[in-house]
Structures are given as C-alpha cells and as structure tokens.
Tab-separated table of all heavy atoms in Angstrom:
chain	number	residue	atom	x	y	z
A	1	GLY	N	0.807	-1.211	0.000
A	1	GLY	CA	0.000	0.000	0.000
A	1	GLY	C	0.843	1.265	0.000
A	1	GLY	O	2.063	1.229	0.168
A	2	PRO	N	0.185	2.411	-0.186
A	2	PRO	CA	0.898	3.692	-0.238
A	2	PRO	C	1.333	4.146	1.148
A	2	PRO	O	0.754	3.739	2.158
A	2	PRO	CB	-0.159	4.641	-0.823
A	2	PRO	CG	-1.463	4.060	-0.368
A	2	PRO	CD	-1.268	2.566	-0.382
A	3	PRO	N	2.381	4.989	1.207
A	3	PRO	CA	2.809	5.522	2.501
A	3	PRO	C	1.810	6.551	3.016
A	3	PRO	O	0.999	7.084	2.249
A	3	PRO	CB	4.157	6.178	2.180
A	3	PRO	CG	4.062	6.533	0.730
A	3	PRO	CD	3.222	5.458	0.102
A	4	PRO	N	1.838	6.869	4.304
A	4	PRO	CA	0.951	7.905	4.853
A	4	PRO	C	1.216	9.250	4.173
A	4	PRO	O	2.327	9.497	3.689
A	4	PRO	CB	1.330	7.944	6.337
A	4	PRO	CG	1.993	6.632	6.600
A	4	PRO	CD	2.657	6.231	5.334
A	5	PRO	N	0.217	10.131	4.131
A	5	PRO	CA	0.374	11.418	3.431
A	5	PRO	C	1.521	12.273	3.955
A	5	PRO	O	2.153	12.999	3.190
A	5	PRO	CB	-0.978	12.108	3.663
A	5	PRO	CG	-1.928	11.002	3.969
A	5	PRO	CD	-1.134	9.949	4.670
A	6	ASP	N	1.795	12.203	5.256
A	6	ASP	CA	2.835	13.046	5.831
A	6	ASP	C	4.195	12.355	5.876
A	6	ASP	O	5.156	12.902	6.419
A	6	ASP	CB	2.442	13.478	7.245
A	6	ASP	CG	2.188	12.269	8.154
A	6	ASP	OD1	2.032	11.156	7.619
A	6	ASP	OD2	2.146	12.463	9.384
A	7	ALA	N	4.303	11.149	5.312
A	7	ALA	CA	5.568	10.410	5.335
A	7	ALA	C	6.528	10.992	4.299
A	7	ALA	O	6.105	11.544	3.277
A	7	ALA	CB	5.314	8.935	5.036
A	8	PRO	N	7.839	10.880	4.539
A	8	PRO	CA	8.802	11.315	3.514
A	8	PRO	C	8.642	10.477	2.251
A	8	PRO	O	8.327	9.283	2.320
A	8	PRO	CB	10.160	11.078	4.171
A	8	PRO	CG	9.905	10.080	5.247
A	8	PRO	CD	8.509	10.333	5.730
A	9	GLN	N	8.839	11.118	1.114
A	9	GLN	CA	8.638	10.441	-0.166
A	9	GLN	C	9.992	10.037	-0.753
A	9	GLN	O	10.879	10.876	-0.906
A	9	GLN	CB	7.908	11.357	-1.141
A	9	GLN	CG	6.507	11.736	-0.700
A	9	GLN	CD	5.839	12.665	-1.692
A	9	GLN	OE1	6.188	12.687	-2.870
A	9	GLN	NE2	4.880	13.447	-1.224
A	10	LEU	N	10.124	8.780	-1.066
A	10	LEU	CA	11.318	8.256	-1.711
A	10	LEU	C	11.008	8.053	-3.194
A	10	LEU	O	10.113	7.285	-3.536
A	10	LEU	CB	11.737	6.934	-1.065
A	10	LEU	CG	12.881	6.177	-1.735
A	10	LEU	CD1	14.168	6.978	-1.684
A	10	LEU	CD2	13.064	4.805	-1.074
A	11	VAL	N	11.733	8.756	-4.072
A	11	VAL	CA	11.532	8.631	-5.517
A	11	VAL	C	12.777	7.979	-6.103
A	11	VAL	O	13.883	8.506	-5.979
A	11	VAL	CB	11.287	10.003	-6.169
A	11	VAL	CG1	11.059	9.828	-7.676
A	11	VAL	CG2	10.096	10.694	-5.525
A	12	LEU	N	12.600	6.838	-6.744
A	12	LEU	CA	13.715	6.037	-7.254
A	12	LEU	C	13.916	6.229	-8.742
A	12	LEU	O	12.952	6.382	-9.499
A	12	LEU	CB	13.458	4.558	-6.983
A	12	LEU	CG	13.385	4.124	-5.518
A	12	LEU	CD1	12.858	2.708	-5.427
A	12	LEU	CD2	14.758	4.232	-4.879
A	13	ARG	N	15.192	6.177	-9.156
A	13	ARG	CA	15.538	6.144	-10.574
A	13	ARG	C	16.648	5.120	-10.773
A	13	ARG	O	17.590	5.047	-9.997
A	13	ARG	CB	15.992	7.527	-11.067
A	13	ARG	CG	14.845	8.511	-11.246
A	13	ARG	CD	13.887	8.029	-12.320
A	13	ARG	NE	12.699	8.868	-12.462
A	13	ARG	CZ	11.559	8.677	-11.830
A	13	ARG	NH1	11.436	7.674	-10.968
A	13	ARG	NH2	10.528	9.464	-12.024
A	14	ASP	N	16.510	4.336	-11.836
A	14	ASP	CA	17.474	3.279	-12.164
A	14	ASP	C	18.493	3.836	-13.155
A	14	ASP	O	18.133	4.272	-14.250
A	14	ASP	CB	16.725	2.091	-12.774
A	14	ASP	CG	17.662	0.988	-13.259
A	14	ASP	OD1	18.839	0.978	-12.838
A	14	ASP	OD2	17.212	0.151	-14.063
A	15	ASP	N	19.780	3.821	-12.780
A	15	ASP	CA	20.801	4.281	-13.723
A	15	ASP	C	21.463	3.124	-14.464
A	15	ASP	O	22.225	3.354	-15.405
A	15	ASP	CB	21.864	5.128	-13.015
A	15	ASP	CG	22.707	4.331	-12.033
A	15	ASP	OD1	22.441	3.128	-11.850
A	15	ASP	OD2	23.635	4.905	-11.441
A	16	ALA	N	21.195	1.878	-14.041
A	16	ALA	CA	21.756	0.686	-14.693
A	16	ALA	C	23.271	0.761	-14.814
A	16	ALA	O	23.855	0.154	-15.705
A	16	ALA	CB	21.122	0.483	-16.070
A	17	GLY	N	23.915	1.526	-13.931
A	17	GLY	CA	25.368	1.671	-13.999
A	17	GLY	C	25.845	2.527	-15.150
A	17	GLY	O	27.028	2.499	-15.499
A	18	ASP	N	24.972	3.329	-15.742
A	18	ASP	CA	25.300	4.163	-16.903
A	18	ASP	C	25.433	5.618	-16.450
A	18	ASP	O	24.461	6.209	-15.965
A	18	ASP	CB	24.188	4.034	-17.941
A	18	ASP	CG	24.442	4.881	-19.180
A	18	ASP	OD1	25.416	5.653	-19.197
A	18	ASP	OD2	23.653	4.774	-20.136
A	19	PRO	N	26.623	6.237	-16.595
A	19	PRO	CA	26.807	7.620	-16.139
A	19	PRO	C	25.836	8.609	-16.775
A	19	PRO	O	25.358	9.527	-16.097
A	19	PRO	CB	28.254	7.927	-16.530
A	19	PRO	CG	28.931	6.593	-16.544
A	19	PRO	CD	27.887	5.638	-17.054
A	20	GLU	N	25.545	8.444	-18.061
A	20	GLU	CA	24.620	9.381	-18.715
A	20	GLU	C	23.221	9.265	-18.111
A	20	GLU	O	22.548	10.283	-17.874
A	20	GLU	CB	24.584	9.114	-20.223
A	20	GLU	CG	25.867	9.485	-20.951
A	20	GLU	CD	25.734	9.337	-22.445
A	20	GLU	OE1	24.598	9.072	-22.917
A	20	GLU	OE2	26.748	9.474	-23.146
A	21	ARG	N	22.794	8.042	-17.871
A	21	ARG	CA	21.479	7.854	-17.242
A	21	ARG	C	21.461	8.429	-15.826
A	21	ARG	O	20.455	8.979	-15.369
A	21	ARG	CB	21.113	6.376	-17.222
A	21	ARG	CG	20.692	5.826	-18.568
A	21	ARG	CD	20.264	4.377	-18.498
A	21	ARG	NE	19.103	4.158	-17.634
A	21	ARG	CZ	18.454	3.003	-17.544
A	21	ARG	NH1	18.876	1.963	-18.270
A	21	ARG	NH2	17.416	2.867	-16.763
A	22	ALA	N	22.580	8.319	-15.131
A	22	ALA	CA	22.655	8.867	-13.777
A	22	ALA	C	22.505	10.387	-13.797
A	22	ALA	O	21.789	10.964	-12.969
A	22	ALA	CB	23.977	8.471	-13.127
A	23	ALA	N	23.186	11.045	-14.755
A	23	ALA	CA	23.084	12.505	-14.846
A	23	ALA	C	21.659	12.928	-15.201
A	23	ALA	O	21.124	13.898	-14.642
A	23	ALA	CB	24.079	13.032	-15.879
A	24	ARG	N	21.030	12.193	-16.130
A	24	ARG	CA	19.644	12.514	-16.491
A	24	ARG	C	18.701	12.282	-15.317
A	24	ARG	O	17.723	13.009	-15.127
A	24	ARG	CB	19.205	11.682	-17.700
A	24	ARG	CG	19.871	12.077	-19.003
A	24	ARG	CD	19.107	11.504	-20.194
A	24	ARG	NE	19.018	10.063	-20.156
A	24	ARG	CZ	19.898	9.234	-20.701
A	24	ARG	NH1	20.963	9.728	-21.321
A	24	ARG	NH2	19.727	7.921	-20.639
A	25	ALA	N	19.003	11.266	-14.529
A	25	ALA	CA	18.159	10.981	-13.368
A	25	ALA	C	18.212	12.122	-12.364
A	25	ALA	O	17.195	12.479	-11.760
A	25	ALA	CB	18.610	9.675	-12.710
A	26	VAL	N	19.387	12.717	-12.174
A	26	VAL	CA	19.495	13.875	-11.283
A	26	VAL	C	18.571	14.985	-11.770
A	26	VAL	O	17.803	15.571	-10.996
A	26	VAL	CB	20.957	14.374	-11.223
A	26	VAL	CG1	21.024	15.715	-10.491
A	26	VAL	CG2	21.851	13.359	-10.539
A	27	GLU	N	18.629	15.265	-13.059
A	27	GLU	CA	17.805	16.338	-13.616
A	27	GLU	C	16.317	16.048	-13.426
A	27	GLU	O	15.540	16.940	-13.043
A	27	GLU	CB	18.121	16.513	-15.100
A	27	GLU	CG	17.326	17.617	-15.752
A	27	GLU	CD	17.781	17.858	-17.183
A	27	GLU	OE1	18.982	17.700	-17.463
A	27	GLU	OE2	16.930	18.209	-18.006
A	28	GLU	N	15.916	14.814	-13.675
A	28	GLU	CA	14.499	14.477	-13.543
A	28	GLU	C	14.035	14.562	-12.094
A	28	GLU	O	12.948	15.068	-11.801
A	28	GLU	CB	14.242	13.076	-14.094
A	28	GLU	CG	12.772	12.692	-14.073
A	28	GLU	CD	12.516	11.327	-14.673
A	28	GLU	OE1	13.449	10.755	-15.279
A	28	GLU	OE2	11.395	10.824	-14.515
A	29	LEU	N	14.854	14.079	-11.177
A	29	LEU	CA	14.473	14.123	-9.766
A	29	LEU	C	14.334	15.556	-9.267
A	29	LEU	O	13.496	15.859	-8.418
A	29	LEU	CB	15.511	13.375	-8.924
A	29	LEU	CG	15.512	11.847	-9.085
A	29	LEU	CD1	16.741	11.239	-8.432
A	29	LEU	CD2	14.239	11.240	-8.512
A	30	VAL	N	15.158	16.457	-9.823
A	30	VAL	CA	15.108	17.852	-9.399
A	30	VAL	C	13.972	18.603	-10.086
A	30	VAL	O	13.190	19.313	-9.443
A	30	VAL	CB	16.460	18.540	-9.681
A	30	VAL	CG1	16.362	20.039	-9.442
A	30	VAL	CG2	17.542	17.948	-8.805
A	31	SER	N	13.871	18.452	-11.410
A	31	SER	CA	12.926	19.281	-12.164
A	31	SER	C	11.498	18.751	-12.139
A	31	SER	O	10.544	19.523	-12.144
A	31	SER	CB	13.391	19.393	-13.622
A	31	SER	OG	13.385	18.127	-14.257
A	32	THR	N	11.335	17.443	-12.102
A	32	THR	CA	9.995	16.859	-12.116
A	32	THR	C	9.465	16.597	-10.708
A	32	THR	O	8.311	16.912	-10.408
A	32	THR	CB	9.990	15.548	-12.923
A	32	THR	OG1	10.438	15.820	-14.254
A	32	THR	CG2	8.590	14.955	-12.980
A	33	HIS	N	10.331	16.059	-9.861
A	33	HIS	CA	9.871	15.646	-8.532
A	33	HIS	C	10.274	16.622	-7.436
A	33	HIS	O	9.880	16.438	-6.287
A	33	HIS	CB	10.389	14.244	-8.225
A	33	HIS	CG	9.928	13.213	-9.207
A	33	HIS	ND1	8.659	12.679	-9.190
A	33	HIS	CD2	10.559	12.652	-10.276
A	33	HIS	CE1	8.535	11.808	-10.179
A	33	HIS	NE2	9.665	11.776	-10.857
A	34	ARG	N	11.092	17.618	-7.762
A	34	ARG	CA	11.485	18.671	-6.827
A	34	ARG	C	12.165	18.113	-5.587
A	34	ARG	O	11.958	18.585	-4.476
A	34	ARG	CB	10.271	19.525	-6.451
A	34	ARG	CG	9.616	20.221	-7.630
A	34	ARG	CD	8.271	20.810	-7.257
A	34	ARG	NE	8.402	21.750	-6.153
A	34	ARG	CZ	7.403	22.096	-5.336
A	34	ARG	NH1	6.202	21.563	-5.513
A	34	ARG	NH2	7.593	22.940	-4.361
A	35	ALA	N	12.986	17.068	-5.770
A	35	ALA	CA	13.682	16.448	-4.639
A	35	ALA	C	14.583	17.461	-3.943
A	35	ALA	O	15.271	18.251	-4.592
A	35	ALA	CB	14.515	15.266	-5.124
A	36	ILE	N	14.595	17.405	-2.630
A	36	ILE	CA	15.431	18.331	-1.862
A	36	ILE	C	16.862	17.820	-1.752
A	36	ILE	O	17.799	18.584	-1.511
A	36	ILE	CB	14.840	18.578	-0.469
A	36	ILE	CG1	15.451	19.854	0.136
A	36	ILE	CG2	15.023	17.370	0.451
A	36	ILE	CD1	14.702	20.388	1.319
A	37	ALA	N	17.065	16.518	-1.966
A	37	ALA	CA	18.394	15.914	-1.962
A	37	ALA	C	18.298	14.566	-2.652
A	37	ALA	O	17.200	14.030	-2.859
A	37	ALA	CB	18.936	15.759	-0.544
A	38	ILE	N	19.454	14.009	-3.002
A	38	ILE	CA	19.497	12.736	-3.729
A	38	ILE	C	20.531	11.832	-3.072
A	38	ILE	O	21.621	12.283	-2.693
A	38	ILE	CB	19.846	12.957	-5.213
A	38	ILE	CG1	18.780	13.832	-5.890
A	38	ILE	CG2	19.988	11.631	-5.952
A	38	ILE	CD1	19.136	14.245	-7.305
A	39	VAL	N	20.215	10.538	-2.985
A	39	VAL	CA	21.128	9.522	-2.488
A	39	VAL	C	21.572	8.652	-3.662
A	39	VAL	O	20.737	8.221	-4.469
A	39	VAL	CB	20.453	8.649	-1.418
A	39	VAL	CG1	21.389	7.528	-0.972
A	39	VAL	CG2	20.032	9.499	-0.225
A	40	GLY	N	22.892	8.350	-3.746
A	40	GLY	CA	23.435	7.543	-4.836
A	40	GLY	C	24.145	8.434	-5.840
A	40	GLY	O	24.246	9.640	-5.629
A	41	PRO	N	24.636	7.818	-6.921
A	41	PRO	CA	24.665	6.404	-7.302
A	41	PRO	C	25.707	5.595	-6.513
A	41	PRO	O	26.345	6.113	-5.610
A	41	PRO	CB	25.020	6.450	-8.788
A	41	PRO	CG	24.805	7.855	-9.230
A	41	PRO	CD	25.078	8.691	-8.017
A	42	LEU	N	25.896	4.324	-6.975
A	42	LEU	CA	26.774	3.404	-6.256
A	42	LEU	C	28.127	3.199	-6.923
A	42	LEU	O	29.100	2.896	-6.229
A	42	LEU	CB	26.098	2.032	-6.101
A	42	LEU	CG	24.737	2.000	-5.394
A	42	LEU	CD1	24.291	0.561	-5.182
A	42	LEU	CD2	24.791	2.733	-4.070
A	43	ASP	N	28.215	3.286	-8.250
A	43	ASP	CA	29.506	3.045	-8.906
A	43	ASP	C	30.197	4.367	-9.222
A	43	ASP	O	29.564	5.422	-9.343
A	43	ASP	CB	29.332	2.212	-10.178
A	43	ASP	CG	28.730	3.024	-11.310
A	43	ASP	OD1	27.512	3.271	-11.262
A	43	ASP	OD2	29.470	3.426	-12.214
A	44	GLY	N	31.530	4.303	-9.372
A	44	GLY	CA	32.328	5.505	-9.509
A	44	GLY	C	31.980	6.414	-10.672
A	44	GLY	O	31.683	7.601	-10.466
C-alpha cells in the first residue's frame, strides 16, 4: 500500500550503472519531482 500522506517520499531512478542515465536521473528528480536531496549512485 501507499505511505501515509505526511511520510517522507522516496523517488527512485534506475541508472543501470550508466553515467549518462545517472546525470539525467538527477535532472528528472530535481525538475519533475522537486527532490530536496538525492542519495546515490553506487559506482564511480
């Protein structure tokens, strides 16, 4: 089920280990979802 309305929202993006996809994911999380911060990616 969905999280409570006042719960923090976690928005995920899959970069598949691709640097270009990771950079695009940052842009989407900021411009579309207005994320205040981002966690990841995992590879260098």
